[in-house]
Amino acid sequence: MHLFAGNSNLPLSLRIAGKLGIKLSKVEINRFSDGECRVWIREEVKGEKTFVIQSLSFPPDQYLMELCLLGSALKRLEAKNITAIIPWLGYSKQDREFRKGEAVSIELVAKLLETAGFEKIIAVELHSQTVKEYFKIPIIELSAKELVKKIILQKKENDFIVISPDLGGKGRSCEFARIMQWPIAYLNKKRDYSDGKVIILDIDREIKGREVIIYDDIINTGATAVETANFLQKKGAKRIIFIGVHSVLSGNAGILLQNSFIDEVITTDTIDLSKEKQFSKLKIISVDDLLTEKLRNLS
Ligand code: R5P
């Protein structure tokens, strides 16, 4: 088995390779002076099972192209069962035409990955189940919920109400509430697509004096998390934990979250977060065991 890594999340890739007891396979990824990407596989892979790890994190266009070129080079070398492990599947937010004339970007990304030569995708916690419909190749979704459960159960206070942040996250939040055996409440959230502003309109349950936990897939600008916390604090929540499986943390999201009513933000390392983006309320749990186990089963 060969395990290659793109440049987006080397710490996670190295940990997975270490757990598997192998070294990352050799590849050179560099750029021409105009920024064009060039990859060069430095291994014999003909007939060998190959995996490529790459998150589509910042800058997503660049990391997507790297991933496609890696797949394409492996296909030319006649590698077998070329699988992309994409811990954070960027572009998945664009899974439908929100406004007439917009591209459904994940549809194109799916085609690019297939054309590049990937025969299977492994991803962690997808933005929506609709995403799967755009892929003709199998897409295996791994959930971070059991990992989160372990962390939460270590806490003294663990009698929460799960809060579903929006309609799109209903299924995900319901599943989390079921696993934890906690009640659930639903928020009614609206986003203005022109400026990204988030407005929380309503909640369907009394939360005064309660500990609440919001389970979301992504924290990008932090607007959803901060506005949700403002709303829940006004409604009298005693303690607020926000789970965002993938932390994009663009712009000054970290500062906004640190200064918000949220007591703790829990995320995973599907995206490699630089020290500058981290903040004291943030707890990062690793998906390394989750992905390693899946790779072991597939290798
Ligand atoms: C929305 O559908 C997603 O599940 C997240 O709530 C959203 O993408 C988070 O983005 P932001 O942090 O920019 O509000």
Side-chain angles (χ1 to χ4, degrees), residues 38-87:
R38 170 164 64 180
V39 310
W40 185 15
I41 305 286
R42 307 302 307 273
E43 304 270 0
E44 266 307 320
V45 291
K46 189 170 178 175
E48 301 265 337
K49 272 194 181 174
T50 53
F51 297 87
V52 183
I53 307 185
Q54 178 83 313
S55 267
L56 300 185
S57 49
F58 186 83
D61 304 359
Q62 197 169 305
Y63 288 145
L64 172 64
M65 196 60 189
E66 255 184 31
L67 179 60
C68 288
L69 293 178
L70 284 163
S72 175
L74 289 168
K75 189 178 172 183
R76 291 182 72 84
L77 291 171
E78 297 176 45
K80 197 172 86 178
N81 299 343
I82 312 169
T83 300
I85 303 156
I86 313 180

Side-chain angles (χ1 to χ4, degrees), residues 37-266:
C37 181
R38 170 164 64 180
V39 310
W40 185 15
I41 305 286
R42 307 302 307 273
E43 304 270 0
E44 266 307 320
V45 291
K46 189 170 178 175
E48 301 265 337
K49 272 194 181 174
T50 53
F51 297 87
V52 183
I53 307 185
Q54 178 83 313
S55 267
L56 300 185
S57 49
F58 186 83
D61 304 359
Q62 197 169 305
Y63 288 145
L64 172 64
M65 196 60 189
E66 255 184 31
L67 179 60
C68 288
L69 293 178
L70 284 163
S72 175
L74 289 168
K75 189 178 172 183
R76 291 182 72 84
L77 291 171
E78 297 176 45
K80 197 172 86 178
N81 299 343
I82 312 169
T83 300
I85 303 156
I86 313 180
W88 156 237
L89 182 60
Y91 287 97
S92 53
K93 293 194 297 286
Q94 301 181 63
D95 59 355
R96 63 189 164 95
E97 193 182 323
F98 292 90
R99 294 171 294 192
K100 190 166 168 48
E102 285 186 342
V104 181
S105 305
I106 194 62
E107 182 180 38
L108 177 66
V109 168
K111 284 185 184 142
L112 287 173
L113 292 169
E114 283 159 17
T115 308
F118 291 104
E119 293 162 55
K120 193 180 283 164
I121 308 286
I122 300 171
V124 178
E125 205 104 14
L126 292 170
H127 175 62
S128 68
Q129 293 307 303
T130 314
V131 166
K132 290 183 181 164
E133 293 168 18
Y134 296 110
F135 285 83
K136 289 203 181 79
I137 53 175
I139 172 160
I140 300 172
E141 180 185 13
L142 302 179
S143 168
K145 295 182 189 75
E146 290 291 341
L147 295 177
V148 175
K149 179 180 176 180
K150 260 191 214 157
I151 298 292
I152 303 286
L153 291 184
Q154 286 164 9
K155 294 185 183 301
K156 269 195 206 135
E157 326 86 344
N158 56 25
D159 178 26
F160 290 88
I161 292 186
V162 175
I163 307 284
S164 169
D166 48 38
L167 201 62
K170 200 172 166 183
R172 180 182 311 115
S173 303
C174 277
E175 174 66 3
F176 183 62
R178 191 192 58 75
I179 288 175
M180 301 304 297
Q181 297 186 311
W182 288 334
I184 185 163
Y186 299 98
L187 286 179
N188 184 2
K189 168 184 129 181
K190 277 223 160 89
R191 189 189 286 269
D192 183 333
Y193 293 116
S194 56
D195 61 7
K197 269 203 177 138
V198 167
I199 306 162
I200 311 294
L201 299 168
D202 208 359
I203 189 163
D204 68 346
R205 193 180 179 123
E206 176 68 58
I207 53 145
K208 198 167 181 199
R210 296 295 306 263
E211 290 159 349
V212 297
I213 192 158
I214 303 109
Y215 194 99
D216 208 350
D217 59 334
I218 322 159
I219 306 177
N220 181 15
T221 63
T224 301
V226 170
E227 287 310 317
T228 300
N230 286 344
F231 180 88
L232 296 172
Q233 197 269 346
K234 271 195 204 127
K235 290 279 176 193
K238 189 169 81 179
R239 180 170 161 76
I240 304 173
I241 295 187
F242 197 96
I243 299 159
V245 177
H246 311 286
S247 277
V248 178
L249 298 187
S250 54
N252 59 350
I255 297 170
L256 295 176
L257 292 164
Q258 180 66 26
N259 296 331
S260 72
F261 288 114
I262 300 172
D263 294 284
E264 189 176 3
V265 179
I266 299 176

